[in-house]
Amino acid sequence: AGHEILYSEMVCNQFVIAVLRKTVDPSFPMIRADDFAHSPKFMKVDLPQAGDLVHWPGHIGIVLDPDKGDFIGSQTSTGVAVANYKNGYWNGSFGGKKPDAFYRFIP
């Protein structure tokens, strides 16, 4: 014990990268949310699937249910939590912003 990652204290890109390192690439580099667009490990997709990344300017999350629009990310207001990109703040309401891209990991 003592070596657990405190997901609640991570910012969005740290959370996504921690998950990527656990699941697909232990050596994935620490990059900012806006740098996933330029990563050779990801391709932009139009129709997201579970496990793809959802991006907003300055923010990144992981798609859980593309039909519902659920994603998990580390948001300043909530810490790591499930939220929705199809309605509410993460779709432009209440001063929020809409997602601008989805990215899929390339093995």
Side-chain angles (χ1 to χ4, degrees):
H3 293 81
E4 303 91 6
I5 296 170
L6 296 175
Y7 291 106
S8 62
E9 296 178 9
M10 296 179 148
V11 294
C12 63
N13 62 315
Q14 292 172 322
F15 171 72
V16 168
I17 290 165
V19 172
L20 289 171
R21 286 176 177 171
K22 280 279 193 194
T23 57
V24 293
D25 184 352
S27 63
F28 195 88
M30 185 59 68
I31 61 176
R32 297 173 320 162
D34 292 341
D35 293 338
F36 283 89
H38 311 293
S39 170
K41 300 230 178 226
F42 284 88
M43 65 177 186
K44 190 173 182 179
V45 293
D46 292 327
L47 297 172
Q49 298 174 358
D52 289 346
L53 303 184
V54 55
H55 178 267
W56 298 257
H59 192 62
I60 194 97
I62 302 169
V63 175
L64 295 177
D65 185 331
D67 295 329
K68 292 181 185 171
D70 290 343
F71 75 98
I72 188 166
S74 186
Q75 284 72 248
T76 308
S77 57
T78 59
V80 174
V82 175
N84 190 287
Y85 61 81
K86 288 190 174 180
N87 57 55
Y89 179 84
W90 293 108
N91 194 39
S93 299
F94 318 112
K97 44 197 172 183
K98 289 180 179 284
D100 62 4
F102 296 96
Y103 298 107
R104 182 163 302 149
F105 183 78
I106 304 167

